[in-house]
């Protein structure tokens, strides 16, 4: 355990950020699964929503923009193959 006051505060901040990042990543996984497993009618909407969430994760700093581009590309390929 830290003895320094600023480090104690930093630990609290890091824990809050870790939980927020975990929630964002969890939702990304959920949206990706929904997009891949969606029926043909809903596949486009599910893909669009998943891509939107990936972009939001970049904005929040959870994902790097190149990582997001790679995820979106691979997801689009998987959804197209599922059709």
């Amino acid at each position: 355990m830290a003895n320094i006051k600023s480090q104690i505060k930093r630990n609290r901040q890091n824990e809050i950020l870790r939980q927020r990042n975990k929630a964002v990543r969890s939702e990304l996984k959920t949206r990706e699964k929904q997009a891949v497993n969606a029926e043909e009618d809903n596949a486009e909407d599910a893909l669009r929503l998943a891509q939107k969430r990936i972009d939001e994760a970049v904005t929040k700093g959870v994902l790097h923009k190149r990582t997001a581009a790679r995820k979106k590309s691979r997801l689009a390929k998987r959804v197209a193959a599922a059709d």
Side-chain angles (χ1 to χ4, degrees), residues 35-59:
V36 171
N37 297 329
E39 299 294 326
E40 287 185 27
D41 307 341
N42 303 330
E44 272 189 45
D45 293 334
L47 176 62
R48 190 169 28 254
L49 186 58
Q51 289 175 337
K52 181 178 177 182
R53 292 292 187 248
I54 291 171
D55 289 335
E56 287 176 358
V58 172
T59 304

Side-chain angles (χ1 to χ4, degrees), residues 59-74:
T59 304
K60 291 180 179 182
V62 177
L63 291 179
H64 190 273
K65 65 179 181 178
R66 290 192 190 121
T67 303
R70 186 175 62 246
K71 282 182 173 289
K72 290 190 323 189
S73 174
R74 290 178 182 174

Side-chain angles (χ1 to χ4, degrees), residues 3-83:
N3 294 328
I4 300 167
K5 202 172 189 181
S6 62
Q7 187 59 47
I8 292 170
K9 180 179 179 181
R10 198 74 192 125
N11 289 341
R12 283 197 315 263
Q13 291 173 334
N14 286 338
E15 181 62 21
I16 291 167
L17 290 173
R18 186 186 71 82
Q19 289 175 355
R20 189 180 75 184
N21 291 343
K22 184 179 175 185
V24 171
R25 288 192 176 152
S26 174
E27 186 179 4
L28 282 180
K29 287 181 185 179
T30 302
R31 298 296 178 195
E32 288 173 10
K33 286 179 187 175
Q34 287 176 349
V36 171
N37 297 329
E39 299 294 326
E40 287 185 27
D41 307 341
N42 303 330
E44 272 189 45
D45 293 334
L47 176 62
R48 190 169 28 254
L49 186 58
Q51 289 175 337
K52 181 178 177 182
R53 292 292 187 248
I54 291 171
D55 289 335
E56 287 176 358
V58 172
T59 304
K60 291 180 179 182
V62 177
L63 291 179
H64 190 273
K65 65 179 181 178
R66 290 192 190 121
T67 303
R70 186 175 62 246
K71 282 182 173 289
K72 290 190 323 189
S73 174
R74 290 178 182 174
L75 181 61
K77 283 182 188 176
R78 287 174 65 194
V79 170
D83 286 345

